[in-house]
Amino acid sequence: GGAGRAEKASEVASVVAQDGAQALSHWLEDTAPARREAYQKAHTHMSSLWDSVRVTSAVAVSKGQRLAADYGHAETVETATARLNAAAGTAATASSAVFGRLAAAFAVQPEDHGVGSDSADTSGTKVSQ
């Protein structure tokens, strides 16, 4: 009766889970190069963007200090410097958060994915050259 149906359902669920794990493993293997390339491009872009933000901030601080000094407003220099440093810090925090999300989104899995490695059928496994 019910025990036989539960056993059959358990067997079906086991087969479906194994098939899903194998499909996931194949997908991770097949998409690893594209994900690695996308991650590297995003990393390069974010690094370049961050370098640009740092340089621009440094130039702005320097110009602000010179302008304030030219007008003899030492207090204004300190205020402007503090504001620009705070803005640069905020940009750094935002950049780090975005980069962290990108890194997680494009994370490249190790070659051994640990999915079904004990009982996986390797007859269709690709051989690296």
Side-chain angles (χ1 to χ4, degrees):
R5 283 188 293 204
E7 187 176 313
K8 185 69 172 170
S10 176
E11 289 174 10
V12 169
S14 176
V15 169
V16 168
Q18 286 176 344
D19 288 348
Q22 189 171 13
L24 176 61
S25 179
H26 286 297
W27 178 83
L28 288 171
E29 183 179 321
D30 291 345
T31 61
R35 289 182 294 120
R36 184 177 295 113
E37 182 179 345
Y39 171 77
Q40 289 170 342
K41 284 182 180 178
H43 176 71
T44 300
H45 179 74
M46 290 304 295
S47 293
S48 175
L49 178 63
W50 177 236
D51 288 344
S52 177
V53 167
R54 285 191 327 204
V55 167
T56 302
S57 296
V59 168
V61 167
S62 177
K63 284 183 180 179
Q65 287 173 339
R66 271 185 278 144
L67 284 173
D70 287 348
Y71 292 104
H73 299 288
E75 188 173 312
T76 304
V77 171
E78 291 173 13
T79 302
T81 300
R83 286 183 183 165
L84 287 170
N85 285 337
T90 300
T93 301
S95 175
S96 294
V98 169
F99 184 74
R101 283 189 227 120
L102 284 171
F106 293 109
V108 177
Q109 300 295 321
E111 290 300 318
D112 178 14
H113 307 295
V115 178
S117 57
D118 293 338
S119 60
D121 175 7
T122 59
S123 61
T125 302
K126 295 179 183 174
V127 176
S128 297
Q129 293 181 1

